[in-house]
Amino acid sequence: MTMLNRRRLPVLLAGLAASVALPALAHHGWAWAEGEQMTLKGTISKISMAPPHPMLMVESEGKLWQVDLGNPNQTERSGFRGDTAKPGDAITALGNRHLDKDKLHMKAVRITLAGKDYDMYPERIRTN
């Protein structure tokens, strides 16, 4: 490896790492969601606990919503696990809807099942 290539390698690797990380950070942040919170009531049709974040598919008024939960650690700390609920269970989700109204997608700060609250982001919960 030449001297020039040895100097460039760390810069190239840092650039590559940043280009991979930025889309993930943008997705996992809150910039894609409205600041105002909404409540979604419906029925769970699918549960996924797979990384990068657990999510539920929730049927509400004949439409299918994607409800993102916290990251795996936050979701587990809330008490919600893969066997906590099952398809067909009624759910209420409090969270922030996607800025694009054509997308039925929200990031939950709290979900409620059978009267029990699971707070994914307790510091973000705003109730009236």
Side-chain angles (χ1 to χ4, degrees), residues 1 3 14 22 24 53-54 57 62 65-66 83 92-93 96 98 111 113 115 120 123 128:
M1 202 181 261
M3 181 68 101
L22 285 176
H53 53 79
M57 296 305 293
W65 284 76
Q66 178 177 324
D83 61 355
T92 301
N96 302 73
H98 200 289
I111 59 172
L113 292 158
M120 306 295 146
E123 72 284 359
N128 295 335

Side-chain angles (χ1 to χ4, degrees), residues 98-111:
H98 200 289
L99 288 169
D100 181 347
K101 298 283 192 211
D102 289 335
K103 295 184 180 185
L104 301 177
H105 186 190
M106 74 180 294
K107 189 168 189 169
V109 295
R110 168 187 284 160
I111 59 172

Side-chain angles (χ1 to χ4, degrees), residues 17-37:
S19 68
V20 170
L22 285 176
L25 289 174
H27 174 77
H28 291 287
W30 293 84
W32 62 269
E34 292 181 344
E36 206 170 304
Q37 291 182 340

Side-chain angles (χ1 to χ4, degrees), residues 6 28 69 74 87 95:
R6 276 190 236 150
H28 291 287
L69 305 179
Q74 288 168 303

Side-chain angles (χ1 to χ4, degrees), residues 8 12 19 22 28 42 76 103 121 126:
R8 283 186 170 172
L12 291 172
S19 68
L22 285 176
H28 291 287
E76 189 171 328
K103 295 184 180 185
Y121 297 93
R126 293 189 305 269

Side-chain angles (χ1 to χ4, degrees), residues 31-52:
W32 62 269
E34 292 181 344
E36 206 170 304
Q37 291 182 340
M38 64 169 282
T39 300
L40 177 72
K41 293 182 179 198
T43 304
I44 297 172
S45 65
K46 180 180 176 186
I47 300 170
S48 171
M49 299 301 286

